[in-house]
Amino acid sequence: MQPTLLILAAGMGSRYGGVKQLDQFGPHGETIIDYSLFDAIRAGFGKVVFIIREELRSDFEEVFGAKLAGKIEVDYAIQALDSYVPAEVGEVQRTKPWGTGHAMLCAKNHTDTPFAVINADDFYGLEAFQLIGDFLRTDTDDNLHAMVGYEVKNTLSENGSVSRGVCAVDAYGHLTSVIERTKIYEQEGATEGNRIVFEESDGVTPLEPDTPVSMNFWGFKPSVFPLLEHQFESYAIANINSPKAEFYIPTVMTTLIQTETGRCKVFRSKSAWFGVTYPEDKPTVQAAFRQLHDSGAYPDKLW
């Protein structure tokens, strides 16, 4: 059995100011997705499903179709605003997708194997794909899922705040909670140096630098889909009048844990994550890829 890779690529890129999923970062014009695909193929994944908006399909087919032919099976799942929305919601009053949990649900009919889920605009590295790939191939517990957790200090941007799923893990390496914090940044201190905090309406809260956070690298068994669909139906009905509400994968996992319908093994990574949130992040990411090529981690040309 070869696991499937779902790539979340339907986002609007509002802070980046463009379709960052297809922007070029590598020395030969590679996208960040190219590196994820290259690593996934090396780690034994047999299929990729791009979860996209309909208007992006032709662009994705043009960029990835030919280069992936014969290397990995390719499929496309469309995240539409009305996908899986219950009738009670009526005509959907939204202009942006419902979020990452809804995107994953939109791939329900595109995979029947254990699968990983990643962001299109994050670089995770080969180790993460190997860890999740091995887990998905060998673990036989339908209710045990997985994630790769990165230390928060390795996931920040120098150009603004970031959103991260802040995790708590028990003594057995299982996730006990993951809470989406939408404004994490390094705060300058007057006497004690900088500290990492997350900010909410009631103030700021410090985070230890090695706090594990989710970068949306998840591993799921197909048994999650019926539970996911039920969760989203309830969420959509509850948020009929909230056009900016987003149904996150961390919300899905938290519900599974709280209802004892699923558990999540956490693989800890000390690797330096990098990705793009702001336009100013691009030069840093380009330099990081150049260094990876120069070090021999990747060949001069991926394809």
Side-chain angles (χ1 to χ4, degrees), residues 158-180:
E158 297 178 353
N159 300 302
S161 63
V162 295
S163 297
R164 302 288 181 254
V166 178
C167 302
V169 182
D170 66 19
Y172 301 99
H174 288 163
L175 188 69
T176 57
S177 70
V178 54
I179 302 173
E180 191 76 12

Side-chain angles (χ1 to χ4, degrees), residues 91-102:
E91 185 176 352
V92 178
Q93 302 296 320
R94 298 180 65 92
T95 59
K96 63 183 296 186
W98 283 91
T100 56
H102 178 246

Side-chain angles (χ1 to χ4, degrees), residues 139-160:
D139 187 84
T140 58
D141 185 345
D142 284 344
N143 296 317
L144 180 62
H145 311 290
M147 63 162 280
V148 178
Y150 291 78
E151 295 182 353
V152 66
K153 66 183 179 183
N154 292 329
T155 73
L156 302 178
S157 170
E158 297 178 353
N159 300 302

Side-chain angles (χ1 to χ4, degrees), residues 2 29 41 66 68 77 84 107 143 152 164 192 220 223 233 268:
Q2 292 180 296
I41 291 169
L68 296 180
Y84 293 93
N143 296 317
V152 66
R164 302 288 181 254
E192 299 179 359
F220 286 99
S223 59
E233 287 179 355
R268 300 287 292 266

Side-chain angles (χ1 to χ4, degrees), residues 59-77:
D59 292 332
F60 269 75
E61 290 176 340
E62 180 180 350
V63 171
F64 298 107
K67 69 177 67 171
L68 296 180
K71 298 179 179 69
I72 190 171
E73 182 182 351
V74 178
D75 197 2
Y76 299 88

Side-chain angles (χ1 to χ4, degrees), residues 21-35 63-64 67 282 286 289-290 293 300-303:
Q21 302 94 312
L22 297 178
D23 203 356
Q24 298 179 355
F25 296 92
H28 297 287
E30 297 89 350
T31 67
I32 294 178
I33 293 175
D34 278 307
Y35 292 90
V63 171
F64 298 107
K67 69 177 67 171
K282 185 172 182 176
Q286 289 175 317
F289 279 130
R290 180 70 271 176
H293 282 273
D300 181 49
K301 293 185 178 181
L302 295 183
W303 312 110

Side-chain angles (χ1 to χ4, degrees), residues 39-106:
D39 286 337
I41 291 169
R42 290 197 285 179
F45 284 76
K47 180 178 179 179
V48 57
V49 179
F50 294 104
I51 306 172
I52 55 177
R53 304 190 307 277
E54 180 64 50
E55 59 265 32
L56 293 177
R57 178 161 185 159
S58 61
D59 292 332
F60 269 75
E61 290 176 340
E62 180 180 350
V63 171
F64 298 107
K67 69 177 67 171
L68 296 180
K71 298 179 179 69
I72 190 171
E73 182 182 351
V74 178
D75 197 2
Y76 299 88
I78 303 302
Q79 184 180 15
L81 297 181
D82 58 354
S83 299
Y84 293 93
V85 174
E88 293 91 325
V89 174
E91 185 176 352
V92 178
Q93 302 296 320
R94 298 180 65 92
T95 59
K96 63 183 296 186
W98 283 91
T100 56
H102 178 246
M104 189 171 87
L105 179 59
C106 291

